[in-house]
Every structure is written in structure tokens, then in C-alpha cells.
């Protein structure tokens, strides 16, 4: 799973990793949250472009999207032996709703674990970036979460780093200011160890 704040280059790295895995003969499913399904796209547009919702409603909507995404896309893909590379997963909820919205990281993570029937990724890559730099890199109109304060985005960043520090075996934290090709090489190296491919 690729995680990180907004505008850190997750989708570029997702595409490069997908291609790298395909070249090694794997079936690859590239997906994202929120979205990735028809219902997910509806939830995505409500969450990112709709009106104000309170923090608990927001957390439940992300968890709903995740439950449906795992049930309809992720588990079926894993069951047929495919590699799933997702742009965001449950750590985003722990960081955005748990840490930044201050609902509690453990509680929000538990909600996602219930929603996904405890499906955890083999590896989570955190593309770490100072939110001030991220704002400068962002293109297009900001969505509802991107419009949150710098402090909010600092709490998001700290949340991701806390999750990674608690379980270093399942996380790879990379400095997102590095050259995209260098980042890809680091990601491919770690994924290669995991899947036993050079
Ligand atoms: P998206 O455009 O997919 O990400 P990015 O801006 O990184 O390209 O936007 C998804 C937004 O939703 C992003 O601001 C993070 C937020 N989000 C949560 O708050 N909780 C979640 O559980 C997920 C999956 C995303």
C-alpha cells in the first residue's frame, strides 16, 4: 500500500511499481481509496467534494468505502494470486481521521480492521513530505481535506510516522523529495525481498 499526505507522488510510484511487478510476471491490480469501485466513486465524491460532515460520519464513510473495496476488489484479487497495489488504505484513516481529526488512532484503526475483516497489507510504503512542501507541489483545485490547515496536515504526517515506527517490519518510510526514479528503486528493492524477485 502506498500512503502519505496529499501531493507526495503516490500515484506515480503506484504506476511504476505496478509495471515492475508485471515485468516479473505477476498479475497486478492497481487500485485506490476512496474509490476503486462504483459505490466507492460515489463515496469519494461525497467525501472530497460534498458539504461538511462531522468527523465520525467521515470516518464511517471512509470505512464503508474500505469494506466494499476489500470485499469486491482486494480479496478476490488476492485469492486468485494477484498483487494488489493500492493508493491509500487503512493507515490513511488512522492518520487523517484518527490523528488529525483527533478521533483516536487506535479506535479508527479498529474500525477499519472490523470493516475489512482484519486484512492487513504485507507492506506499507509511506512517502513522507513536509506539508508546506506538499502544498507548493499540489496542482488543481484543493479538495475538502486538502483545504484543511497546515496543522491538520502536520498531524497527518506525524500519524503516518507513528504507525510506521510501531511496526518497522511492515513499513518502508521514504523521503518524498527524492528523485522519483530513486524512490522507485528503493520500493522495488523492498518489494523484491518480499516476493523473492530480483
Ligand atoms: P486522493 O485524491 O485520493 O489522494 P491524494 O490527494 O493523495 O492524491 O484524496 C483522498 C483524500 O482523502 C486525501 O486527502 C486523504 C483522504 N483520506 C482520508 O482522510 N481517510 C481515508 O481513509 C482515506 C483513504 C483518504
Amino acid at each position: 500500500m502506498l500512503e502519505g499526505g496529499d501531493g507526495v507522488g503516490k500515484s506515480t510510484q503506484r504506476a511504476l511499481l505496478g509495471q515492475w511487478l508485471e515485468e516479473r510476471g505477476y498479475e497486478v491490480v492497481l487500485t485506490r481509496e476512496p474509490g476503486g469501485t462504483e459505490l466507492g466513486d460515489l463515496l469519494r465524491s461525497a467525501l472530497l467534494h460534498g458539504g461538511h460532515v462531522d468527523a465520525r460520519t467521515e470516518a464511517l464513510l471512509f470505512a464503508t468505502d474500505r469494506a466494499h473495496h476489500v470485499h469486491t476488489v482486494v480479496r478476490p484479487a488476492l485469492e486468485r494470486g494477484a498483487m494488489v497495489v493500492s493508493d491509500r488504505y487503512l493507515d490513511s484513516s488512522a492518520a487523517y481521521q484518527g490523528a488529525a481529526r483527533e478521533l483516536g488512532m487506535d479506535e479508527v484503526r479498529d474500525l477499519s480492521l472490523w470493516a475489512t475483516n482484519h486484512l492487513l497489507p504485507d507492506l506499507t510504503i509511506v512517502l513522507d513530505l513536509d506539508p508546506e512542501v506538499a502544498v507548493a507541489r499540489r496542482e488543481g483545485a484543493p479538495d475538502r481535506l486538502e483545504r484543511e490547515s497546515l496543522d491538520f496536515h502536520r498531524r497527518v504526517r506525524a500519524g503516518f510516522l507513528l504507525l510506521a515506527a510501531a511496526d518497522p517490519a511492515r513499513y518502508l518510510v521514504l523521503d518524498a523529495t527524492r528523485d522519483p526514479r530513486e524512490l522507485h528503486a528503493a520500493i522495488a528493492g523492498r518489494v523484491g525481498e518480499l516476493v523473492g524477485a530480483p
Side-chain angles (χ1 to χ4, degrees), residues 106-172:
D106 288 343
E107 265 184 73
V108 171
R109 193 163 184 277
D110 285 349
L111 175 68
S112 273
L113 286 174
W114 182 82
T116 63
N117 204 2
H118 293 261
L119 185 68
L120 283 172
D122 295 311
L123 179 67
T124 299
I125 298 147
V126 176
L127 296 178
D128 181 49
L129 189 62
D130 180 335
E132 279 184 73
V133 179
V135 171
R137 275 166 54 152
R138 196 178 290 151
E139 286 164 15
D143 62 40
R144 205 170 58 80
L145 284 134
E146 285 167 343
R147 286 196 298 271
E148 289 292 340
S149 68
L150 206 52
D151 268 353
F152 177 93
H153 290 283
R154 289 197 181 110
R155 292 197 292 277
V156 169
R157 182 190 195 189
F160 281 126
L161 295 179
L162 203 63
L163 291 163
D167 191 1
R170 277 202 320 105
Y171 286 82
L172 174 63

Side-chain angles (χ1 to χ4, degrees), residues 5-7 10 33-34 44 48 58 62 66 88-89 92-93 96-97 143 145-146:
D6 301 279
K10 293 185 299 301
E33 290 187 2
R44 181 183 175 85
L48 301 187
E58 183 180 280
F62 278 115
R66 183 156 305 121
R88 299 192 182 278
Y89 189 57
S92 278
S93 283
Y96 282 80
Q97 283 67 51
D143 62 40
L145 284 134
E146 285 167 343

